[in-house]
Amino acid sequence: MCGIVGYVGERPASRLLIDGLRRLEYRGYDSAGIAVLTDPTNPGGHSLTVMKRVGHVAQLAAAVPEDLGGNSGIGHTRWATHGGVTEPNAHPHLDNDGRIAVIHNGIIENHAILRAKLVEEGARFRSETDTEVLPHLIRKFYKGDPVAAVRAALSVVQGTYGVAVLFADHPGLVVGARNGSPLVVGTGEGESFLASDPHALAPYTRKIVYLEDREIAAITPLGWEITRLDGGATNHVVETLTESWGGGDRGAYAHHMLKEIHEQPESLTRCLSGRVVPEEGGARLGGLDLGPRDIAGIRRIGVLGCGTSFHAAQVGASAMEQLARIPAFAEIASEFRYRNPVIQQDDLFFAISQSGETADTLGAVKEVKVKGGQVMGVVNVVGSTIARTCGRGVYVHSGPEIAVASTKAFTSQVAALLVAALSFGRTRALGPHEGRAFGEELLRIPEKVASWLERPGPIADAVELLVGGRFVFFFGRGVSHPVAMEGALKLKEVAYIPCMSYPAAEMKHGPIALIDHTTPVVAIVPEDMMRDKTLSNIQEVRARGARTVVVHTEGDREARKLADVSIPVPATNLLCSPLLTVLPLQLFAYHAGLTLGRDIDRPRNLAKSVTVE
Ligand code: M6R
């Protein structure tokens, strides 16, 4: 979603800010802007030069003069919440005199009341945004001390924020603060940085300090100071960013999404290696820090996430029940957090998130903690807010996922949850032979994924059928139902094709009324104990005119006969099957998006990291 970069030092600020914003582009945005302190020799002091553009960072970069000058500045990518996608609504926003510039991620919930009061007091608003109250509020409280002014302004604000503030009267200073929206300080020799994502700073510094909620940072070329918004002291350490995030390199691939689909053999290998221990029939996940006695004491498992991560959570919950015989459920994090859930001491929760910054999932994590429950992160981005808030968990190690549509993160999330289920299963229900067989099959999956990706079958035929439909139905049973949901989500996100997904047996309870020759159906039917029943459901939709794409196990002739387009995947056990059956669905979405001329890596209206509720 929105992105923040701030800089103070010796380098030309505008170029560095734009470079940082480019690294944040993958998060999703619709406009971009910078404010830089210029005119150092002006007798009236520095000026704030603000430039904004709707559209891509490249359009902003083209508009910013090479010789703009200035060594301090802030830059922002905006994903519209309050007010349309227009230049006046793009950040930075200014106070009346244009001496204070603010960029903001998050939502100021009491903006309407604050705005009305500020207008009465003479503030002139130029945008429809919630953010614009901030520069006016800071101006109101400014008596010469910039940090005190930001602190005072934020004390009357309700909502979430990562902010960066630049004062024309204080060259060589940027003030930042966070509450519910990530912000880090980067430190270098004679320069300091702010960013909403440390990877924006990777070419300049890997020395990072993570702000916590309700903290404020003042950065100067000489260093940084972080205090609590209530004035209290903090005790931060500088951490070194070890992960390489890259960002721009698509290699030989036309899109990040396609590259990431093809990276799954390696990402799965990274996720599994050293964790599955077939000779013990089990698995080791040091980050969970749970011994056999702790695992034996778990009474219930909840797996929480949003979007694709929720689909992985559903597979994970099934695996926990099947392998460990622990009652388990999956729930959409945004619903869980507000339904006052019953959480008991012997419950264990997993929070699933690629980005580790999803506001709804973070809210659910906090709800578990408030109620005294235990929660583990299953996260891709190292050092992200959810990972740090949980404190314990599993990194899925899928590597940087740049395309907004999640692919390799999904399979790594499922794999990590299967490893956890195996580990719990070995303690609770599985004998060494069953555990070993499951672990060995899990370790074979990356090779099966690689071999399928080399010869994926008639994807083009399936795509032709899907893009020609009025809308598309996806169905499956058991763990193939979350796979169907994931296939439908991918096709909506990337190709903007209306889709529905159902447990296969539910079709006849209503949705089948919609079926005719204009509604292609994608059926996920691996060889499991429910296969025959799903085959009957395929017959039912075919009898009503639907054309079918059937994703089935290699060699399943009966399934093939029921398919207008048959997509076989390698055989595996039921719980591992989502790691294979999801692959064609990812390619359907990619190629359908391509056929329809969509913006594959950055679909409209979407953000990679959803940091507002
Ligand atoms: O970063 P997270 O995994 O927490 O993100 C959750 C969802 O926003 C995300 O999976 C979203 O549904 C993706 N665009 C799916 O492709």
Side-chain angles (χ1 to χ4, degrees):
M1 250 170 185
C2 305
I4 286 176
V5 185
Y7 177 72
V8 282
E10 296 281 310
R11 307 185 203 225
S14 57
R15 290 294 130 196
L16 185 143
L17 295 173
I18 284 170
D19 181 56
L21 294 182
R22 281 205 172 101
R23 285 165 206 286
L24 296 178
E25 281 191 294
Y26 76 98
R27 296 167 69 103
Y29 70 104
D30 42 54
S31 53
I34 58 168
V36 176
L37 277 183
T38 50
D39 304 329
T41 55
N42 189 345
H46 286 74
S47 320
L48 278 174
T49 299
V50 175
M51 304 204 64
K52 308 176 184 186
R53 285 295 179 272
V54 165
H56 289 168
V57 173
Q59 284 154 273
L60 176 69
V64 173
E66 282 294 336
D67 57 354
L68 180 64
N71 310 110
S72 320
I74 54 180
H76 190 258
T77 46
R78 173 177 187 249
W79 186 86
T81 59
H82 294 60
V85 181
T86 64
E87 220 161 84
N89 287 341
H91 302 204
H93 293 288
L94 300 173
D95 68 321
N96 277 5
D97 303 328
R99 307 290 294 165
I100 298 171
V102 177
I103 56 179
H104 163 232
N105 295 353
I107 292 177
I108 307 296
E109 287 165 3
N110 57 340
H111 71 99
I113 297 170
L114 293 171
R115 185 178 181 125
K117 189 148 194 302
L118 287 161
V119 167
E120 264 175 41
E121 292 166 2
R124 288 191 307 279
F125 280 77
R126 302 166 182 102
S127 80
E128 306 155 282
T129 63
D130 54 330
T131 299
E132 201 183 349
V133 299
L134 292 173
H136 294 294
L137 269 179
I138 294 168
R139 179 70 195 84
K140 174 174 161 173
F141 291 111
Y142 178 61
K143 307 273 182 293
D145 180 342
V147 175
V150 175
R151 203 189 291 281
L154 293 177
S155 72
V156 299
V157 154
Q158 288 161 13
T160 54
Y161 48 79
V163 289
V165 190
L166 188 63
F167 293 78
D169 294 343
H170 296 272
L173 170 77
V174 173
V175 180
R178 79 160 270 177
N179 186 43
S181 194
L183 198 67
V184 302
V185 169
T187 81
E189 284 297 314
E191 58 187 358
S192 302
F193 309 79
L194 274 182
S196 51
D197 177 337
H199 297 100
L201 308 178
Y204 307 104
T205 182
R206 289 183 165 271
K207 303 281 179 207
I208 301 294
V209 186
Y210 291 89
L211 265 75
E212 300 296 339
D213 279 350
R214 304 208 57 76
E215 289 185 346
I216 184 165
I219 63 163
T220 69
L222 299 179
W224 49 275
E225 188 181 12
I226 300 176
T227 47
R228 293 205 47 79
L229 274 171
D230 61 13
T234 65
N235 186 15
H236 282 278
V237 289
V238 178
E239 296 179 37
T240 303
L241 194 66
T242 48
E243 247 192 346
S244 163
W245 205 244
D249 183 17
R250 293 195 306 261
Y253 293 94
H255 296 96
H256 285 290
M257 184 180 175
L258 190 62
K259 176 170 179 261
E260 288 157 11
I261 289 171
H262 283 271
E263 281 172 348
Q264 290 176 102
E266 298 84 56
S267 55
L268 281 166
T269 303
R270 268 198 307 277
C271 181
L272 296 170
S273 63
R275 290 173 164 173
V276 179
V277 194
E279 47 290 2
E280 293 172 11
R284 291 184 202 142
L285 285 168
L288 298 184
D289 195 21
L290 292 174
R293 286 183 73 84
D294 303 311
I295 294 170
I298 299 168
R299 294 281 296 276
R300 187 177 68 140
I301 290 174
V303 196
L304 309 172
C306 300
T308 289
S309 296
F310 169 64
H311 303 152
Q314 288 175 292
V315 178
S318 289
M320 291 294 175
E321 287 207 345
Q322 297 307 313
L323 296 182
R325 307 305 300 157
I326 302 174
F329 67 96
E331 189 166 340
I332 291 177
S334 57
E335 291 296 312
F336 175 86
R337 65 182 291 198
Y338 287 121
R339 71 168 172 82
N340 196 16
V342 176
I343 294 172
Q344 288 164 348
Q345 275 195 348
D346 40 16
D347 285 348
L348 176 69
F349 286 86
F350 288 96
I352 319 299
S353 177
Q354 186 286 131
S355 62
E357 300 296 348
T358 300
D360 287 317
T361 309
L362 180 60
V365 165
K366 288 180 179 167
E367 184 64 17
V368 173
K369 293 197 127 190
V370 162
K371 288 191 149 71
Q374 296 191 74
V375 55
M376 310 278 173
V378 177
V379 172
N380 189 33
V381 178
V382 175
S384 55
T385 308
I386 291 174
R388 287 181 304 109
T389 307
C390 289
R392 286 191 283 169
V394 186
Y395 281 118
V396 303
H397 297 311
S398 68
E401 192 179 66
I402 305 297
V404 165
S406 187
T407 53
K408 64 176 180 172
F410 172 78
T411 46
S412 291
Q413 288 165 342
V414 169
L417 287 164
L418 291 180
V419 175
L422 172 60
S423 150
F424 291 9
R426 185 68 188 92
T427 299
R428 298 278 294 241
L430 289 178
H433 299 301
E434 294 161 283
R436 182 178 188 132
F438 187 83
E440 283 175 348
E441 180 54 20
L442 203 43
L443 290 175
R444 281 192 284 269
I445 291 291
E447 179 53 40
K448 292 186 179 186
V449 170
S451 80
W452 186 85
L453 285 170
E454 271 172 32
R455 283 176 300 280
I459 299 294
D461 295 345
V463 168
E464 193 184 330
L465 207 156
L466 301 182
V467 299
R470 203 157 40 95
F471 57 83
V472 180
F473 266 102
F474 286 75
F475 67 56
R477 286 170 183 254
V479 289
S480 296
H481 174 232
V483 174
M485 293 172 78
E486 177 60 7
L489 179 68
K490 287 287 93 82
L491 201 59
K492 285 183 247 188
E493 285 186 298
V494 181
Y496 315 154
I497 294 177
C499 299
M500 296 188 200
S501 50
Y502 278 93
E506 272 296 294
M507 291 296 289
K508 59 187 172 299
H509 296 292
I512 202 163
L514 295 170
I515 294 286
D516 63 21
H517 65 285
T518 66
T519 54
V521 172
V522 180
I524 322 300
V525 51
E527 199 126 41
D528 58 29
M529 70 275 193
M530 290 164 298
R531 165 189 168 272
D532 293 353
K533 293 186 187 303
T534 312
L535 292 185
S536 301
N537 301 133
I538 300 174
Q539 303 264 26
E540 287 155 14
V541 295
R542 282 175 72 84
R544 284 153 183 88
R547 303 189 66 204
T548 53
V549 176
V550 181
V551 178
H552 60 85
T553 305
E554 272 167 7
D556 186 343
R557 288 207 207 134
E558 222 180 313
R560 201 169 65 201
K561 276 195 216 140
L562 296 180
D564 291 285
V565 183
S566 137
I567 308 277
V569 296
T572 183
N573 65 44
L574 171 60
L575 289 172
C576 292
S577 67
L579 297 169
L580 294 161
T581 53
V582 78
L583 303 173
L585 311 192
Q586 296 172 343
L587 285 180
F588 295 166
Y590 175 77
H591 289 286
L594 207 58
T595 305
L596 297 171
R598 309 304 193 210
D599 189 349
I600 303 271
D601 286 335
R602 278 180 269 159
R604 68 183 180 202
N605 304 338
L606 295 181
K608 183 67 181 162
S609 182
V610 185
T611 48
V612 296
E613 289 189 44

